[in-house]
């Protein structure tokens, strides 16, 4: 018998949205950096 | 290098080996040796995941890339955070539930033994040779900088790493990875501070950034959709997504890291640590390369950083022309520094272009004189900066950081090679019924043998530029196709064993044809491979029912 675990839950959607938001901010900052110092 | 720096390097090696050996407790069974009894916390696994991916090539080659072309390589990683989310939702709970040692073990349960064996064999071939290259590339540069013979450098990196990996197993790998990540980040941060302090006060950081920006080095994002361009926003986001899904989802050297996590949630968090931190970390490395460029605008740079052939060029037929170039270079560098200090953009750009021309000409003379068509200079820029401009003590720390990167990337791969060899081949095909102690001993021997094999490949590959290229491209030939097989295994119920096997063959064949007959950039090969395997696999599956 395996102990019950959290394998069937897909994980926190808030965390996943946080990852996407951070990446979007980093990409925007890089884009701004390129435009400001070109 | 001073005695203080050598002491720092020696202390690092002794500390890492001692710590690795100390971690051998609890590895008296195969599950402990390969999976740390699935007991590691998420942050240790997460740092180990990043350490395995951050090789010395990353430190030396990526800073060199940023020094010459700027930040655009960062786009390569844009697919990574999305890949981590997808893997956290799919593969991590899947493998955890399946209680497997290797990702390929699952393919036999879902399909058949030949698909498992082919996938594992592809991994072994690709990783074994790429491990050699991972070691060779920095070893060449370190040898030149420290004046060591290449085999000496390779063995200084390999022997301690083989020792703690073969005795301590995955626990030693993970916990030494954690320490090595701190050394790498600490070393790079120290380099950034020294570089920033090297910018003259009357120039300032903003003017320095504006100079870097004028040369295009701060243009990180390229939104053009061009399949022939290697690094664009789209190739990084889409092609990079498929590459990262393949690498973190199907490559045993990564899968094994999160299989050691103590629960599914801890495994997920370990991957999400990379999702948050990897791009900023890569920006630290690339930003260091850009800062090295800015630093040498105000500090006198050598005409060439790679001095391997200085004596031969000085005694060769082009010696006079080379000396003339050297004088021109000094004059032009002074003019560029003057223009940079005045913030005269046009004069600076014109002068910088002339400096680059002189350098290219000098590289041409070295190649003509020595007949070494593979002579490169740019990979020596950052190590030269370290050994000639970093303060005493920090030189040792930086050399330790480069050793750390080489060891941490290689140790994880070595451990994974041994796991796939023992679990997917030795235990599956050759000795099916033996004691746990027997498999543990075989695992230790396999780790040592793969380690020695990678040393031999490293020494041989260092002198074979074309081989390095072949090995680097080899990964992109099968990564996407492997991902396709796992998509068939996990996402569909219709796929049959024949469909998976022949789909994998078809995917690799198509990628091979595309790679050799079209200009499509390699990041797209991963997408093409995965799609072909899924389509062909499902088609064959419906016929074979």
């Amino acid at each position: 018998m395996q102990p019950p675990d959290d394998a069937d839950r897909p994980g926190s959607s808030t965390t996943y949205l946080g990852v996407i938001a951070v990446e979007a901010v980093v990409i925007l900052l890089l884009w701004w950096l390129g435009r400001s110092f070109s | 290098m001073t005695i203080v720096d050598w002491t720092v390097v020696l202390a690092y090696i002794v500390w890492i080996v001692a710590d690795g050996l100390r971690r051998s407790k609890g590895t008296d069974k195969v599950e402990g040796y390969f999976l740390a009894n699935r007991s590691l916390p998420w942050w240790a696994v997460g740092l180990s995941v990043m350490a395995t991916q951050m090789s010395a090539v990353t430190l030396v080659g990526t800073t060199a890339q940023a020094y010459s072309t700027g930040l655009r390589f960062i786009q390569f990683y844009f697919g990574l955070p999305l890949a981590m989310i997808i893997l956290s939702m799919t593969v991590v709970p899947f493998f955890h539930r399946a209680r497997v040692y290797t990702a390929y073990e699952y393919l036999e349960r879902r399909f058949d033994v030949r698909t498992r064996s082919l996938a594992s064999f592809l991994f072994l071939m690709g990783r074994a040779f790429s491990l050699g290259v991972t070691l060779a590339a920095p070893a060449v540069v370190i040898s030149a900088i420290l004046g060591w013979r290449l085999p000496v450098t390779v063995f200084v990196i390999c022997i301690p790493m083989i020792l703690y990996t073969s005795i301590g197993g995955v626990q030693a790998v993970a916990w030494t990875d954690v320490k090595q990540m701190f050394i790498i980040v600490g070393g790079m941060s120290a380099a950034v501070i020294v570089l920033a302090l090297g910018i003259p006060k009357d120039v300032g950081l903003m003017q320095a950034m504006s100079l870097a920006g004028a040369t295009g080095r701060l243009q990180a994002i390229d939104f053009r959709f061009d399949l022939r361009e290697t690094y664009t926003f789209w190739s990084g986001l889409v092609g990079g997504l498929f590459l990262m899904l393949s690498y973190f989802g199907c490559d045993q050297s990564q899968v094994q890291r999160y299989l050691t996590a103590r629960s599914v949630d801890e495994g997920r968090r370990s991957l999400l640590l990379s999702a948050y931190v990897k791009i900023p970390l890569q920006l630290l490395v690339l930003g260091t390369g850009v800062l090295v460029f800015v630093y040498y605008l105000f500090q006198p740079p050598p005409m060439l950083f790679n001095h391997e052939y200085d004596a031969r060029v000085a005694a060769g037929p082009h010696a006079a022309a080379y000396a003339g170039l050297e004088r021109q270079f000094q004059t032009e560098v002074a003019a560029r520094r003057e223009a940079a200090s005045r913030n005269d953009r046009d004069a600076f750009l014109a002068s910088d272009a002339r400096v680059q021309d002189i350098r290219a000409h000098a590289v041409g003379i070295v190649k003509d004189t020595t007949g070494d068509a593979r002579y490169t200079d740019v990979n020596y820029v950052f190590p030269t900066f370290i050994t000639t401009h970093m303060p005493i003590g920090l030189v040792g720390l930086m050399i330790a950081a480069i050793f750390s990167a080489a060891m941490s990337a290689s140790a994880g791969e070595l451990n994974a090679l041994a796991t796939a060899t023992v679990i997917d081949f030795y235990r599956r095909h050759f000795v099916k019924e033996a004691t746990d102690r027997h498999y543990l001993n075989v695992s230790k021997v396999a780790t040592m043998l793969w380690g020695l094999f990678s040393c031999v490949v490293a020494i041989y590959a260092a002198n074979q530029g074309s081989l390095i290229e072949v090995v680097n491209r080899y990964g992109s030939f099968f990564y996407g196709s492997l991902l396709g097989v796992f998509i068939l295994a996990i996402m569909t119920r219709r796929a049959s064993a024949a469909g998976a096997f022949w789909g994998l063959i078809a995917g690799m064949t198509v990628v091979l044809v595309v790679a050799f007959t079209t200009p499509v950039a390699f990041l797209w090969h991963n997408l093409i491979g995965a799609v072909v395997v899924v389509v062909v696999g499902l088609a064959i599956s419906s016929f074979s029912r």
Side-chain angles (χ1 to χ4, degrees), chain B residues 151-222:
Chain B
V152 174
T153 311
V154 169
F155 282 110
V156 165
I157 297 171
C158 283
I159 299 295
M161 186 263 295
I162 293 172
L163 197 66
Y164 73 72
T165 308
S166 58
I167 295 175
V170 79
Q171 297 238 41
V173 172
W175 289 111
T176 51
D177 278 355
V178 169
K179 292 171 182 66
Q180 285 160 341
M181 271 308 285
F182 280 107
I183 293 173
I184 293 168
V185 174
M188 292 306 279
S189 305
V192 166
I193 292 168
V194 173
L195 285 162
L197 291 175
I199 298 169
K201 286 198 172 54
D202 54 331
V203 173
L205 194 61
M206 291 309 272
Q207 188 177 325
M209 282 179 73
S210 141
L211 291 166
T215 63
R217 282 178 173 78
L218 298 183
Q219 291 283 352
I221 315 275
D222 179 354

Side-chain angles (χ1 to χ4, degrees), chain B residues 264-315:
Chain B
V264 172
D265 256 359
E266 300 260 332
R268 280 189 181 121
R269 281 192 214 175
S270 70
L271 286 188
L272 292 177
L273 182 68
S274 285
Y276 279 116
V277 177
K278 183 67 189 176
I279 291 179
L281 193 62
Q282 211 60 35
L283 273 175
L284 173 69
V285 178
L286 287 165
T288 306
V290 173
L291 274 175
V292 174
F293 168 77
V294 172
Y295 182 87
Y296 278 122
L297 294 178
F298 301 103
Q299 308 295 337
M303 182 164 71
L304 293 181
F305 290 86
N306 180 354
H307 297 292
E308 188 182 357
Y309 295 125
D310 277 2
R312 277 175 72 181
V313 172

Side-chain angles (χ1 to χ4, degrees), chain B residues 21-265:
Chain B
L21 296 181
R22 196 167 61 85
R23 301 285 174 184
S24 61
K25 285 179 198 164
T27 53
D28 54 344
K29 291 202 161 47
V30 171
E31 188 168 19
Y33 188 77
F34 283 141
L35 298 179
N37 299 314
R38 303 176 202 265
S39 65
L40 298 182
W42 65 271
W43 54 271
V45 178
L47 289 172
S48 182
V49 163
M50 286 196 285
T52 303
Q53 209 198 4
M54 171 147 311
S55 66
V57 178
T58 315
L59 292 197
V60 174
T62 308
T63 45
Q65 207 164 6
Y67 172 87
S68 51
T69 61
L71 299 179
R72 68 189 55 163
F73 180 62
I74 195 67
Q75 297 172 113
F76 178 81
Y77 293 96
F78 284 172
L80 187 144
L82 302 179
M84 294 310 193
I85 292 175
I86 295 170
L87 293 173
S88 294
M89 296 170 78
T90 54
V91 165
V92 174
F94 209 86
F95 285 152
H96 183 86
R97 203 163 29 213
R99 308 291 293 178
V100 288
Y101 281 87
T102 75
Y104 319 113
E105 208 179 337
Y106 175 72
L107 291 178
E108 181 174 359
R109 294 194 201 165
R110 175 65 179 82
F111 298 126
D112 58 8
V113 67
R114 66 179 175 167
T115 307
R116 169 188 181 177
S117 300
L118 176 60
S120 187
F121 179 74
L122 289 171
F123 161 74
L124 286 177
M125 288 300 99
R127 268 291 149 234
F129 284 100
S130 73
L131 177 56
V133 173
T134 304
L135 290 164
V140 171
V141 178
I142 292 171
S143 299
I145 297 290
L146 299 181
W148 292 357
R149 290 180 59 229
L150 183 79
V152 174
T153 311
V154 169
F155 282 110
V156 165
I157 297 171
C158 283
I159 299 295
M161 186 263 295
I162 293 172
L163 197 66
Y164 73 72
T165 308
S166 58
I167 295 175
V170 79
Q171 297 238 41
V173 172
W175 289 111
T176 51
D177 278 355
V178 169
K179 292 171 182 66
Q180 285 160 341
M181 271 308 285
F182 280 107
I183 293 173
I184 293 168
V185 174
M188 292 306 279
S189 305
V192 166
I193 292 168
V194 173
L195 285 162
L197 291 175
I199 298 169
K201 286 198 172 54
D202 54 331
V203 173
L205 194 61
M206 291 309 272
Q207 188 177 325
M209 282 179 73
S210 141
L211 291 166
T215 63
R217 282 178 173 78
L218 298 183
Q219 291 283 352
I221 315 275
D222 179 354
F223 282 113
R224 285 176 302 156
F225 189 86
D226 184 345
L227 290 176
R228 293 163 303 180
E229 274 295 323
T230 310
Y231 305 119
T232 65
F233 176 81
W234 303 108
S235 74
L237 194 68
V238 183
L241 169 66
F242 277 78
L243 173 66
M244 299 303 171
L245 282 174
S246 315
Y247 179 57
F248 289 97
C250 316
D251 188 304
Q252 180 62 19
S253 68
Q254 287 297 340
V255 172
Q256 193 164 351
R257 305 273 78 74
Y258 53 80
L259 285 177
T260 60
R262 58 170 74 127
S263 70
V264 172
D265 256 359

Side-chain angles (χ1 to χ4, degrees), chain B residues 306 308-309 312 363 366-376:
Chain B
N306 180 354
E308 188 182 357
Y309 295 125
R312 277 175 72 181
V363 168
V366 174
K367 285 182 178 175
D368 271 359
T369 306
T370 61
D372 182 356
R374 292 182 294 102
Y375 173 84
T376 56

Side-chain angles (χ1 to χ4, degrees), chain A residues 6-9 23 34 37-38, chain B residues 78 93 97 213 264-265 268 345:
Chain A
D6 42 12
D8 293 321
R9 289 192 288 113
E23 185 181 14
F37 293 97
S38 59
Chain B
F78 284 172
R97 203 163 29 213
V264 172
D265 256 359
R268 280 189 181 121
R345 181 189 164 101

